[in-house]
Amino acid sequence: SQSSSIMMASIGEFDPLNTRVPATKIEVTVSLVVLYLQAVGTKEWREFGRTEVIDNTRNPDFVRKFVLDFFFEEKQNLRFDVLGINCLLSTLSPSKDFLGQTFCTLGEIIGSTGGRLERTLSGIPGKKCGVIILTAEELSNCRDIATMQLCANKLDKKDFFGKSDPFLVFYRSNEDGTFTICHKTEVIKNTLNPVWQPFTIPVRALCNGDYDRTVKVDVYDWDRDGSHDFIGEFTTSYRELSRGQNQFNVYEVLNPKKKGKKKKYINSGTVSAPTSPITACHFLCNPSQPTSLHYMSPYQMNAYAMALKAVGEIIQDYDSDKLFPAYGFGAKLPPDGKISHAFPLNGDNDNPNCVGIEGVLESYFQSLRAVQLYGPTNFAPVINKVANCAAEITDGSQYFVLLMITDGVISDMVQTKEAVVNAASLPLSIIIVGVGPAEFDAMEELDGDEVRVSSRGRLAERDIVQFVPFRDYIDRSGNQVLSMARLAKDVLAEIPDQLLSFMKSRGIEPRPALSSSPLPQLHRHI
């Protein structure tokens, strides 16, 4: 498992302000987001946490993050409810208003481009509820906590009566060049030379443990109506902040608009850190967990190995050379940690073949020791890789069988359905064995027994996918041999008909049963 932090960057285009309140009453509207997680067994939605409350804005940018353990072998359903709380100051009676909601999985957020998912809010008939933007990033193992204090000097005066009411907003930079809010200071009233209170922040919240990552700081003048005035900004890094009071951490606050208009513009004040941040260090140990579906027990095979052995030992009898190209998907590969969704289990890109099912099992166990399992789980790359091989031999002399053993979560469902539809015209069958306790709704959709798989309005030419959940074949008495025999029987039941359907569709006749004319070979890509 990997720990991932869901960061709600912004929520926009919904208007919690009630403009119809009588002039004799003042109404303050604030908003928050509530996150719910769905229990696997009961399907019950349970509240996980709430953001802070932000007042008087239609585009709140929440600081509070939700830290979730991401298990790529599970389907983790999330629900986000946006609430507005209206308070009439004449009566001080708050009432909660439902402003909209959205549903998604944690895998969808992590699997989105740049870890950024934008969803339309719904739930109020006939009304546009706005948009919610969710971003996620894997947290580093850094457990450092920093305590720092900042002060400013000669900030711009923004208020007509009085001076300014300044506060700071910290943003950490993301890998795609965007910024995510991570901290706000308190407001210091009526001063151009504020000294903010010391605050404590996890270093991974500020820069995800990367001391040289850019940190952007905006300086604002607080306004009661929420339309805070922008004073200026500066960038730094945690490493610079850690150097103490010197020329490196006295920062000019710059306002790009003022700089563009005024030739003699110098800055809008300065911000400095009087002392170096105090850092407390914490260490994290991640031992192999026996609860993992990939756990290598010295006493028995895990579910992946059992499924592979059960199906592979039967189907290998139909292959002449007993060489099996074996791939893994969803892992960070050494030495640079690059994420791959179709890597050879034996580590050899030029020759991914393993000798027999025992060779595949050996490569699987070696791969577990070498790579870091990592979501999201994308099916399309490995399906397309095998489909490309099948597309080269369509004369009926060879037929390909792709055996996929997975946890049941598909992060690229749209691309996977398109890959299946494209592969349906090739000499290829796909066997999917789902392991673990997750829901297999996506797998059932790919198995076209009842409803043929379609993509972009195009139906699959034929049904090529057979799916079975491994848990249905676990013998209650603990007899693994019986469990694997039943699994293999049901998994392979549709292969003969699928092979015949391809041959008939191409008008390929059976060859004479002569010793000089070998039968078509089945090639397995596992």
Side-chain angles (χ1 to χ4, degrees), residues 87-139:
C87 298
L88 293 175
L89 296 186
S90 60
T91 60
L92 295 179
S93 58
S95 62
K96 290 186 179 180
D97 291 335
F98 175 75
L99 300 178
Q101 68 181 186
T102 193
F103 299 83
C104 66
T105 66
L106 183 55
E108 284 182 285
I109 303 175
I110 295 174
S112 300
T113 303
R116 183 181 186 275
L117 180 66
E118 184 172 326
R119 281 291 175 86
T120 300
L121 294 167
S122 61
I124 303 177
K127 181 179 179 181
K128 292 183 178 180
C129 300
V131 172
I132 185 171
I133 299 173
L134 309 165
T135 63
E137 182 177 6
E138 180 188 4
L139 294 179

Side-chain angles (χ1 to χ4, degrees), residues 203-261:
V203 173
R204 70 182 187 183
L206 187 68
C207 59
N208 206 17
D210 180 359
Y211 281 24
D212 296 310
R213 181 183 292 203
T214 298
V215 176
K216 185 167 78 78
V217 183
D218 288 351
V219 186
Y220 285 95
D221 169 41
W222 178 84
D223 284 333
R224 184 180 299 275
D225 63 1
S227 59
H228 311 306
D229 298 317
F230 178 71
I231 295 177
E233 64 184 9
F234 65 92
T235 60
T236 181
S237 68
Y238 182 68
R239 191 178 301 280
E240 287 187 4
L241 290 170
S242 302
R243 287 172 177 164
Q245 188 174 15
N246 54 34
Q247 70 272 23
F248 291 104
N249 67 343
V250 176
Y251 306 98
E252 287 189 295
V253 178
L254 301 177
N255 188 319
K257 289 186 178 180
K258 291 186 66 174
K259 187 176 181 180
K261 292 179 180 179

Side-chain angles (χ1 to χ4, degrees), residues 448-494:
D449 287 343
E450 297 181 2
V451 179
R452 188 70 57 84
V453 179
S454 64
S455 174
R456 302 182 182 181
R458 185 164 58 101
L459 285 174
E461 182 177 315
R462 58 195 182 92
D463 174 23
I464 64 170
V465 178
Q466 167 73 344
F467 164 74
V468 296
F470 183 78
R471 59 175 176 249
D472 290 354
Y473 296 86
I474 298 177
D475 187 75
R476 294 183 179 180
S477 65
N479 189 329
Q480 289 189 5
V481 175
L482 181 60
S483 298
M484 292 191 291
R486 293 175 57 235
L487 172 70
K489 179 181 178 181
D490 284 3
V491 162
L492 299 174
E494 293 186 7

